[in-house]
Amino acid sequence: MSEFKTIPAEELTKNPFKMIGKDWMLIAAANGEKTNAMTASWGGVGVMWNKPVAYIAIRQTRYTKEFVDNGEKLTLNFFGDAFRKELAYFGKTSGRDEDKIAKTGMKVKIEDGAPIFEDAQTVFVCKKLFASTYASENFIDKSILNKFYNGDSMHTLYIVEIENVLTK
């Protein structure tokens, strides 16, 4: 991945609120020969257990969750505005139904078990540390249940160590 340079997570100067919440991220995981990815706008970054981490939430019904659950690594890929249409597509279409990566023409390279989208501007290469499924009884603000889960499946929260930050 010669276009990318590796920086320590602590040297990231981009705003994570904008990167995740406004620009969106593509969560990607590989399972053998196949890679799947989904768009997400919920998550964050910080420090946990003295490690730089990201946290992401994946709904139990998402196909990408199967890939995340069955592997040790995953990536969070961040793109420029030119890829907004592709990111919207990844958020609306299931990889169970078609090969989203091939359909969009995006290129992915697997490095050390982690799928890296070559058109991304920034990539967090991550290792899973923790996973827990949300439970309705744990919500303090019950209005969240009605607004985001009204009969729908819950999310699983993942805390992942950011092993490398790749940037262009």
Side-chain angles (χ1 to χ4, degrees):
M1 310 254 41
S2 59
E3 273 192 78
F4 287 104
K5 70 176 184 174
T6 303
I7 64 168
E10 296 82 7
E11 291 182 16
L12 182 70
T13 59
K14 295 180 179 180
N15 181 333
F17 292 96
K18 183 176 184 316
M19 290 173 69
I20 297 168
K22 300 293 182 197
D23 297 339
W24 307 336
M25 64 183 158
L26 201 58
I27 300 170
N31 188 354
E33 298 278 320
K34 191 170 181 183
T35 297
N36 198 57
M38 62 173 269
T39 303
S41 62
W42 290 1
V45 296
V47 178
M48 182 67 69
W49 306 302
N50 298 325
K51 299 173 186 269
V53 299
Y55 68 89
I56 56 172
I58 303 176
R59 201 175 286 273
Q60 294 173 5
T61 55
R62 296 299 296 259
Y63 186 49
T64 302
K65 185 179 183 313
E66 294 176 27
F67 287 74
V68 169
D69 287 345
N70 290 318
E72 180 184 336
K73 296 199 176 189
L74 59 101
T75 57
L76 307 179
N77 299 266
F78 301 92
F79 298 81
D81 288 338
F83 290 91
R84 194 67 169 189
K85 180 179 172 186
E86 288 84 353
L87 290 175
Y89 176 76
F90 271 91
K92 293 178 187 168
T93 304
S94 174
R96 285 187 186 97
D97 302 328
E98 62 186 63
D99 185 343
K100 298 187 284 187
I101 297 167
K103 181 104 179 206
T104 61
M106 296 175 87
K107 293 177 177 56
V108 177
K109 184 174 185 176
I110 305 294
E111 287 195 5
D112 193 26
I116 297 167
F117 278 76
E118 295 180 19
D119 291 315
Q121 293 298 308
T122 304
V123 179
F124 296 171
V125 180
C126 304
K127 179 177 76 173
K128 293 187 309 183
L129 298 175
F130 174 87
S132 181
T133 302
Y134 294 176
S136 58
E137 60 271 13
N138 293 337
F139 282 83
I140 296 165
D141 181 347
K142 301 296 185 192
S143 69
I144 294 170
L145 287 171
N146 293 331
K147 184 173 183 178
F148 295 104
Y149 298 101
N150 197 11
D152 207 350
S153 68
M154 293 285 182
H155 284 87
T156 297
L157 173 69
Y158 296 89
I159 299 175
V160 297
E161 179 180 3
I162 302 172
E163 295 186 311
N164 287 308
V165 174
L166 308 178
T167 188
K168 291 183 179 172

Coordinates of all heavy atoms in Angstrom, one line a residue, residues 91-150:
G91 N -24.4 1.4 2.5 CA -25.3 1.4 3.6 C -26.7 0.9 3.4 O -27.5 0.6 4.3
K92 N -27.1 0.8 2.1 CA -28.5 0.4 1.7 C -28.6 -1.0 1.2 O -29.7 -1.6 1.2 CB -29.0 1.4 0.7 CG -29.2 2.8 1.2 CD -29.7 3.7 0.0 CE -29.8 5.1 0.5 NZ -29.9 6.0 -0.6
T93 N -27.5 -1.6 0.7 CA -27.5 -2.9 0.1 C -26.8 -3.9 0.9 O -25.7 -3.6 1.5 CB -26.8 -2.7 -1.3 OG1 -27.4 -1.7 -2.1 CG2 -26.9 -4.0 -2.1
S94 N -27.3 -5.1 1.0 CA -26.7 -6.2 1.7 C -25.7 -7.0 0.9 O -26.0 -7.3 -0.3 CB -27.8 -7.1 2.3 OG -27.1 -8.2 2.9
G95 N -24.6 -7.3 1.4 CA -23.7 -8.2 0.8 C -24.2 -9.6 0.6 O -23.6 -10.4 -0.1
R96 N -25.3 -9.9 1.3 CA -25.9 -11.2 1.1 C -26.5 -11.3 -0.3 O -26.6 -12.4 -0.8 CB -27.0 -11.5 2.1 CG -26.6 -11.8 3.5 CD -27.8 -12.1 4.4 NE -27.5 -12.3 5.8 CZ -27.6 -11.3 6.7 NH1 -28.1 -10.1 6.4 NH2 -27.2 -11.5 7.9
D97 N -26.9 -10.2 -0.8 CA -27.6 -10.2 -2.1 C -26.7 -10.0 -3.3 O -27.0 -10.4 -4.4 CB -28.7 -9.1 -2.1 CG -29.7 -9.3 -0.9 OD1 -30.0 -10.4 -0.6 OD2 -30.1 -8.2 -0.4
E98 N -25.6 -9.3 -3.1 CA -24.7 -9.0 -4.2 C -23.3 -8.6 -3.7 O -23.2 -8.3 -2.5 CB -25.2 -8.0 -5.1 CG -25.4 -6.6 -4.5 CD -26.1 -5.6 -5.4 OE1 -27.3 -5.9 -5.8 OE2 -25.5 -4.6 -5.8
D99 N -22.3 -8.7 -4.6 CA -21.0 -8.3 -4.2 C -20.9 -6.7 -4.3 O -20.7 -6.2 -5.4 CB -20.0 -9.0 -5.1 CG -18.5 -8.7 -4.7 OD1 -18.3 -7.7 -4.0 OD2 -17.7 -9.4 -5.2
K100 N -21.1 -6.0 -3.2 CA -21.1 -4.6 -3.2 C -19.8 -4.0 -3.7 O -19.8 -3.0 -4.4 CB -21.5 -4.0 -1.8 CG -22.8 -4.4 -1.3 CD -23.2 -3.8 0.0 CE -22.5 -4.3 1.2 NZ -23.0 -3.7 2.4
I101 N -18.7 -4.6 -3.3 CA -17.4 -4.1 -3.7 C -17.2 -4.1 -5.2 O -16.8 -3.2 -5.8 CB -16.3 -4.8 -2.9 CG1 -16.4 -4.6 -1.4 CG2 -14.9 -4.4 -3.4 CD1 -15.6 -5.5 -0.5
A102 N -17.5 -5.3 -5.8 CA -17.4 -5.4 -7.2 C -18.3 -4.5 -8.0 O -18.0 -3.8 -9.0 CB -17.7 -6.8 -7.7
K103 N -19.6 -4.3 -7.4 CA -20.6 -3.5 -8.1 C -20.1 -2.0 -8.1 O -20.4 -1.3 -9.1 CB -21.9 -3.6 -7.3 CG -23.0 -2.8 -7.9 CD -24.0 -3.6 -8.7 CE -25.1 -2.8 -9.2 NZ -26.3 -3.5 -9.4
T104 N -19.4 -1.6 -7.1 CA -19.0 -0.2 -7.0 C -17.7 0.1 -7.7 O -17.3 1.2 -8.0 CB -18.8 0.3 -5.6 OG1 -17.9 -0.5 -4.9 CG2 -20.2 0.3 -4.8
G105 N -17.0 -1.0 -8.0 CA -15.7 -0.9 -8.6 C -14.5 -0.5 -7.7 O -13.4 -0.2 -8.1
M106 N -14.8 -0.5 -6.4 CA -13.8 -0.1 -5.4 C -12.8 -1.3 -5.3 O -13.2 -2.5 -5.5 CB -14.4 0.2 -4.1 CG -15.3 1.4 -4.2 SD -16.2 1.8 -2.7 CE -15.0 2.8 -1.9
K107 N -11.6 -1.0 -4.9 CA -10.5 -2.0 -4.8 C -10.1 -2.2 -3.4 O -10.0 -1.2 -2.7 CB -9.3 -1.5 -5.7 CG -9.6 -1.5 -7.2 CD -8.4 -1.0 -7.9 CE -8.6 -1.1 -9.4 NZ -9.7 -0.4 -9.9
V108 N -10.0 -3.4 -3.0 CA -9.7 -3.8 -1.6 C -8.4 -4.7 -1.7 O -8.3 -5.6 -2.5 CB -10.8 -4.5 -0.9 CG1 -10.4 -5.0 0.4 CG2 -12.1 -3.7 -0.9
K109 N -7.5 -4.5 -0.8 CA -6.4 -5.3 -0.6 C -6.3 -5.8 0.8 O -6.6 -5.1 1.7 CB -5.1 -4.5 -0.9 CG -3.8 -5.3 -0.9 CD -2.6 -4.5 -1.3 CE -1.4 -5.4 -1.4 NZ -0.3 -4.7 -1.9
I110 N -6.1 -7.1 1.0 CA -6.0 -7.7 2.3 C -4.6 -7.7 2.7 O -3.7 -8.2 2.0 CB -6.5 -9.2 2.3 CG1 -7.9 -9.3 1.7 CG2 -6.4 -9.8 3.7 CD1 -9.0 -8.6 2.6
E111 N -4.3 -7.1 3.9 CA -3.0 -7.0 4.5 C -3.1 -7.5 5.9 O -3.8 -6.9 6.7 CB -2.4 -5.6 4.4 CG -2.0 -5.2 3.0 CD -1.1 -4.0 3.0 OE1 -0.7 -3.5 4.1 OE2 -0.7 -3.5 1.9
D112 N -2.4 -8.6 6.2 CA -2.4 -9.2 7.5 C -3.8 -9.4 8.0 O -4.1 -9.1 9.2 CB -1.6 -8.3 8.5 CG -1.3 -9.0 9.8 OD1 -1.2 -10.2 9.8 OD2 -1.1 -8.2 10.8
G113 N -4.7 -10.0 7.2 CA -6.0 -10.3 7.5 C -7.0 -9.1 7.6 O -8.1 -9.3 7.9
A114 N -6.5 -7.9 7.2 CA -7.4 -6.7 7.3 C -7.6 -6.2 5.9 O -6.7 -5.9 5.2 CB -6.7 -5.7 8.2
P115 N -8.9 -6.0 5.5 CA -9.2 -5.4 4.2 C -9.1 -3.9 4.2 O -9.6 -3.2 5.0 CB -10.7 -5.8 4.0 CG -11.2 -6.0 5.4 CD -10.1 -6.4 6.3
I116 N -8.2 -3.4 3.3 CA -8.0 -2.0 3.2 C -8.5 -1.5 1.8 O -8.1 -2.0 0.8 CB -6.4 -1.7 3.3 CG1 -6.0 -2.2 4.7 CG2 -6.1 -0.3 3.1 CD1 -4.5 -2.3 4.9
F117 N -9.4 -0.5 1.9 CA -9.9 0.1 0.6 C -8.9 1.0 0.1 O -8.5 2.0 0.8 CB -11.2 0.8 0.9 CG -12.4 -0.2 0.9 CD1 -12.6 -1.0 2.0 CD2 -13.2 -0.3 -0.2 CE1 -13.7 -1.9 2.0 CE2 -14.3 -1.2 -0.2 CZ -14.5 -2.0 0.9
E118 N -8.4 0.8 -1.1 CA -7.3 1.6 -1.7 C -7.7 3.0 -2.0 O -6.8 3.9 -2.0 CB -6.8 0.9 -3.0 CG -6.2 -0.5 -2.7 CD -5.7 -1.2 -3.9 OE1 -5.5 -0.5 -4.9 OE2 -5.5 -2.4 -3.8
D119 N -9.0 3.3 -2.1 CA -9.4 4.7 -2.4 C -9.7 5.5 -1.1 O -10.0 6.7 -1.2 CB -10.7 4.7 -3.3 CG -10.5 4.2 -4.7 OD1 -9.4 4.7 -5.3 OD2 -11.2 3.4 -5.2
A120 N -9.6 4.9 0.0 CA -9.8 5.6 1.3 C -8.7 6.6 1.5 O -7.6 6.5 1.0 CB -9.8 4.6 2.4
Q121 N -9.0 7.7 2.2 CA -8.0 8.7 2.6 C -7.3 8.3 3.9 O -6.2 8.6 4.1 CB -8.7 10.0 2.7 CG -9.2 10.6 1.4 CD -8.1 10.8 0.4 OE1 -7.1 11.4 0.7 NE2 -8.2 10.2 -0.8
T122 N -8.1 7.7 4.8 CA -7.6 7.3 6.1 C -8.2 5.9 6.4 O -9.3 5.6 6.1 CB -8.0 8.2 7.2 OG1 -7.5 9.6 6.9 CG2 -7.4 7.9 8.6
V123 N -7.3 5.0 7.0 CA -7.8 3.7 7.4 C -7.3 3.4 8.8 O -6.1 3.6 9.1 CB -7.3 2.6 6.4 CG1 -7.8 1.2 6.8 CG2 -7.7 2.9 5.0
F124 N -8.2 2.9 9.6 CA -7.8 2.4 11.0 C -7.8 0.9 10.8 O -8.8 0.3 10.5 CB -8.8 2.8 12.0 CG -9.0 4.2 12.4 CD1 -10.0 4.7 13.2 CD2 -8.1 5.2 11.8 CE1 -10.2 6.0 13.5 CE2 -8.3 6.6 12.1 CZ -9.3 6.9 13.0
V125 N -6.6 0.3 11.0 CA -6.5 -1.1 11.0 C -6.7 -1.6 12.5 O -5.9 -1.1 13.4 CB -5.1 -1.6 10.5 CG1 -5.0 -3.1 10.5 CG2 -5.0 -1.1 9.0
C126 N -7.7 -2.4 12.8 CA -8.1 -2.7 14.1 C -8.1 -4.1 14.5 O -8.4 -5.0 13.6 CB -9.5 -2.1 14.4 SG -9.6 -0.3 14.0
K127 N -7.9 -4.4 15.8 CA -8.0 -5.8 16.3 C -9.1 -5.7 17.4 O -9.1 -4.9 18.2 CB -6.7 -6.2 16.9 CG -6.7 -7.6 17.6 CD -5.4 -8.0 18.1 CE -5.1 -7.2 19.4 NZ -3.9 -7.6 20.1
K128 N -10.0 -6.7 17.3 CA -11.1 -6.8 18.3 C -10.6 -7.0 19.7 O -9.8 -7.9 19.9 CB -12.1 -7.9 17.9 CG -12.9 -7.6 16.6 CD -14.0 -8.7 16.4 CE -13.4 -10.1 16.5 NZ -14.4 -11.1 16.2
L129 N -11.2 -6.3 20.6 CA -10.9 -6.5 22.0 C -12.1 -6.9 22.9 O -11.9 -7.6 23.9 CB -10.3 -5.2 22.6 CG -9.0 -4.6 22.1 CD1 -8.7 -3.3 22.7 CD2 -7.9 -5.6 22.2
F130 N -13.3 -6.4 22.5 CA -14.4 -6.6 23.3 C -15.7 -6.5 22.5 O -15.7 -5.7 21.5 CB -14.5 -5.4 24.3 CG -15.7 -5.3 25.2 CD1 -15.8 -6.0 26.4 CD2 -16.8 -4.5 24.8 CE1 -16.9 -6.0 27.2 CE2 -17.9 -4.5 25.6 CZ -18.0 -5.2 26.8
A131 N -16.7 -7.3 22.8 CA -18.0 -7.2 22.1 C -19.1 -7.5 23.2 O -18.9 -8.4 24.0 CB -18.1 -8.2 21.0
S132 N -20.2 -6.7 23.1 CA -21.3 -6.9 24.0 C -22.6 -6.4 23.3 O -22.6 -5.4 22.7 CB -21.1 -6.1 25.3 OG -22.2 -6.4 26.1
T133 N -23.6 -7.3 23.3 CA -24.9 -6.9 22.7 C -25.7 -6.0 23.7 O -25.7 -6.3 24.9 CB -25.7 -8.2 22.4 OG1 -24.9 -9.0 21.5 CG2 -27.0 -7.8 21.7
Y134 N -26.2 -4.9 23.1 CA -27.1 -4.1 23.9 C -28.2 -4.8 24.5 O -28.8 -5.7 23.8 CB -27.6 -2.9 23.1 CG -26.6 -1.9 22.5 CD1 -27.0 -0.9 21.7 CD2 -25.2 -2.0 22.9 CE1 -26.1 0.1 21.2 CE2 -24.3 -1.0 22.4 CZ -24.8 0.0 21.5 OH -23.9 0.9 21.1
A135 N -28.7 -4.5 25.6 CA -29.8 -5.1 26.3 C -30.8 -3.9 26.7 O -30.3 -2.9 27.2 CB -29.4 -5.9 27.5
S136 N -32.1 -4.1 26.4 CA -33.0 -3.0 26.7 C -33.0 -2.6 28.1 O -33.2 -1.4 28.4 CB -34.4 -3.4 26.2 OG -34.8 -4.6 26.9
E137 N -32.8 -3.5 29.1 CA -32.8 -3.1 30.5 C -31.6 -2.2 30.9 O -31.6 -1.6 31.9 CB -32.9 -4.3 31.4 CG -31.7 -5.3 31.2 CD -31.9 -6.4 30.2 OE1 -32.8 -6.3 29.3 OE2 -31.1 -7.3 30.2
N138 N -30.6 -2.2 30.0 CA -29.4 -1.4 30.3 C -29.5 0.1 29.9 O -28.6 0.9 30.2 CB -28.2 -2.0 29.7 CG -27.8 -3.3 30.4 OD1 -28.2 -3.6 31.5 ND2 -27.1 -4.2 29.7
F139 N -30.6 0.4 29.2 CA -30.7 1.8 28.7 C -31.3 2.7 29.8 O -32.3 2.4 30.4 CB -31.7 1.9 27.5 CG -31.0 1.5 26.2 CD1 -30.9 0.1 25.9 CD2 -30.5 2.4 25.4 CE1 -30.3 -0.3 24.7 CE2 -29.9 2.0 24.2 CZ -29.8 0.7 23.8
I140 N -30.6 3.7 30.2 CA -31.0 4.6 31.2 C -32.1 5.6 30.6 O -33.1 5.9 31.2 CB -29.8 5.4 31.8 CG1 -28.9 4.4 32.5 CG2 -30.3 6.5 32.7 CD1 -27.5 4.9 32.9
D141 N -31.8 6.1 29.4 CA -32.7 6.9 28.6 C -33.5 6.0 27.7 O -33.1 5.6 26.7 CB -31.9 8.0 27.8 CG -32.8 8.9 27.0 OD1 -34.0 8.6 26.9 OD2 -32.3 9.9 26.5
K142 N -34.7 5.7 28.2 CA -35.6 4.7 27.5 C -36.1 5.3 26.2 O -36.6 4.5 25.4 CB -36.8 4.3 28.4 CG -36.3 3.7 29.7 CD -35.6 2.4 29.5 CE -35.3 1.7 30.8 NZ -34.4 0.6 30.7
S143 N -36.1 6.6 26.0 CA -36.5 7.2 24.7 C -35.7 6.7 23.5 O -36.2 6.6 22.4 CB -36.5 8.7 24.8 OG -35.2 9.2 24.8
I144 N -34.4 6.3 23.8 CA -33.6 5.8 22.8 C -34.1 4.5 22.2 O -34.1 4.2 21.0 CB -32.1 5.6 23.3 CG1 -31.5 6.9 23.6 CG2 -31.3 4.8 22.3 CD1 -30.2 6.8 24.4
L145 N -34.7 3.6 23.1 CA -35.3 2.4 22.7 C -36.4 2.6 21.7 O -36.5 1.9 20.6 CB -35.8 1.6 23.9 CG -34.8 1.0 24.8 CD1 -35.5 0.4 26.1 CD2 -34.1 -0.1 24.1
N146 N -37.3 3.5 22.0 CA -38.4 3.8 21.1 C -38.0 4.4 19.8 O -38.5 4.1 18.7 CB -39.4 4.7 21.7 CG -40.1 4.0 22.9 OD1 -40.3 2.8 22.9 ND2 -40.5 4.8 23.9
K147 N -37.0 5.3 19.8 CA -36.5 6.0 18.6 C -35.7 5.1 17.7 O -35.9 5.2 16.5 CB -35.7 7.2 19.1 CG -35.3 8.1 17.9 CD -34.7 9.4 18.3 CE -34.3 10.3 17.1 NZ -33.7 11.5 17.5
F148 N -34.8 4.3 18.3 CA -33.9 3.6 17.4 C -34.1 2.0 17.4 O -33.5 1.4 16.5 CB -32.5 3.8 17.9 CG -32.1 5.3 17.7 CD1 -32.0 6.1 18.8 CD2 -31.8 5.8 16.4 CE1 -31.6 7.5 18.6 CE2 -31.4 7.1 16.2 CZ -31.4 8.0 17.3
Y149 N -34.9 1.5 18.3 CA -35.0 0.0 18.3 C -36.5 -0.5 18.3 O -36.7 -1.7 18.4 CB -34.3 -0.5 19.6 CG -32.8 -0.2 19.5 CD1 -32.3 0.8 20.2 CD2 -32.0 -1.0 18.7 CE1 -30.9 1.1 20.2 CE2 -30.7 -0.7 18.6 CZ -30.1 0.3 19.3 OH -28.8 0.6 19.3
N150 N -37.4 0.3 18.2 CA -38.8 0.0 18.3 C -39.1 -1.3 17.6 O -39.6 -1.4 16.5 CB -39.6 1.1 17.7 CG -41.1 1.1 18.1 OD1 -41.5 0.3 19.0 ND2 -41.9 1.8 17.5

